[in-house]
Amino acid sequence: MPTLPPEPARPSGNEPHQLQETAASFGAEAERYDRTRPRYPDALVDRVVAGSPGPDLLDVGVGTGIAARQFRAAGCRVLGVDVDARMAGLARRDGIDVEVAAFETWDPAGRAFDTVVAGQTWHWVDPAAGPERAARVLRPGGRLAVFWNVFQPPSGLGEAFSAVYRRVLPDVPVPNPVPGLDGYAPILAGAADGMRRTGAFDAPEQWRFDWERPFTRDEWLDQVPTFGGHSRLPANALDELLAGLGAAVDAVGGRFTMRYTTVAVTAKRVAAA
């Protein structure tokens, strides 16, 4: 299995975990988030579960419970932690046990876990404190697995999406709407470096799963407001953005197939932190 390079990513001075207002904004669209955000490949869930010593799993940034439900269906006993009470409330409606706290300051109260996962959230966690806390709550041989769904639009459509953002929001700091795998490289390398720095994990590995999902125009536009920072945009700007993105999808026939790559950075706990 491939491992990540040992060099850490160069800090940008505007790291995601420092953008607390953006990190806490997802709950404004909790129902939409749960309805529209893609799930994770079963192959990822199965591989994480197979590589863990037992069923006790902690989901960091559990959100509305998207990944938690998948791991529960695979036989895990899941506890979630999330900073946003609105997201936690929705997860609880589906029977997920969630504690509201920032992971960096969350009190495990002496509990230990076989697996710690974070789906689409680890970049909001402090890169030093997060892996150290994960190491403290993992049993020996337990696995830390952090993963992201990276979408890659068809040729031409990604460029059209980016052009809409540049036109509608030239002065508004929103995350790159189409970062692709290259855009995630600093996040992936930073996650691996954080695991190494604890001295409690074996060499981090990177797992990759490629898949596709078709979207209609309306399905894609329904998801857009859940992207980081978008719920904080002025209403007129969001309306204009959605209109421009919708026109871009209309120009390719009103539907498209999005290519996804789910990338996990993972390591086993081999020593006390």
Side-chain angles (χ1 to χ4, degrees):
M1 287 175 275
T3 58
L4 290 170
E7 294 80 14
R10 181 174 297 177
S12 69
N14 194 27
E15 301 300 319
H17 73 279
Q18 297 170 340
L19 306 178
Q20 294 302 313
E21 291 185 7
T22 301
S25 70
F26 294 97
E29 292 282 359
E31 295 276 1
R32 184 193 301 266
Y33 190 103
D34 193 64
R35 182 178 70 248
T36 65
R37 283 295 186 105
R39 279 46 184 164
Y40 299 96
D42 290 340
L44 166 68
V45 173
D46 292 344
R47 191 168 180 182
V48 170
V49 171
S52 301
D56 295 321
L57 182 143
L58 178 68
D59 189 339
V60 178
V62 65
T64 63
I66 291 173
R69 292 191 294 268
Q70 292 185 252
F71 281 104
R72 183 178 62 184
C76 295
R77 293 190 292 262
V78 180
L79 173 65
V81 176
D82 203 282
V83 72
D84 194 313
R86 298 165 295 182
M87 302 284 272
L90 201 153
R92 287 172 180 148
R93 277 166 33 187
D94 198 37
I96 304 296
D97 187 12
V98 184
E99 298 178 6
V100 178
F103 181 57
E104 297 91 335
T105 57
W106 169 71
D107 181 8
R111 291 166 291 185
F113 299 87
D114 301 300
T115 314
V116 175
V117 301
Q120 217 74 25
T121 59
W122 196 247
H123 53 289
W124 300 118
V125 176
D126 183 276
E132 289 175 358
R133 184 158 294 266
R136 285 200 294 272
V137 302
L138 276 169
R139 297 184 176 110
R143 178 171 297 279
L144 173 59
V146 301
F147 43 89
W148 292 264
N149 284 330
V150 183
F151 66 78
Q152 302 155 88
S155 177
L157 189 56
E159 290 81 354
F161 284 168
S162 294
V164 173
Y165 275 87
R166 289 194 298 268
R167 174 174 56 81
V168 176
L169 302 170
D171 302 315
V172 177
V174 296
N176 184 344
V178 195
L181 285 171
D182 289 344
Y184 273 79
I187 291 176
L188 300 173
D193 189 58
M195 295 176 192
R196 292 188 192 94
R197 287 181 182 275
T198 66
F201 294 97
D202 63 7
E205 297 177 347
Q206 185 180 126
W207 298 346
R208 172 174 173 159
F209 306 85
D210 295 306
W211 52 286
E212 296 181 342
R213 174 181 166 177
F215 282 95
T216 65
R217 175 188 191 275
D218 290 346
E219 286 170 342
W220 182 252
L221 296 186
D222 197 20
Q223 185 181 166
V224 169
T226 72
F227 296 161
H230 285 51
S231 66
R232 298 171 59 231
L233 293 173
N236 62 333
L238 181 58
D239 288 345
E240 187 177 355
L241 178 68
L242 293 175
L245 297 175
V249 178
D250 287 340
V252 296
R255 61 181 63 242
F256 65 96
T257 297
M258 183 69 79
R259 293 177 296 114
Y260 281 91
T261 298
T262 300
V263 185
V265 180
T266 181
K268 280 192 174 183
R269 183 188 183 277
V270 295

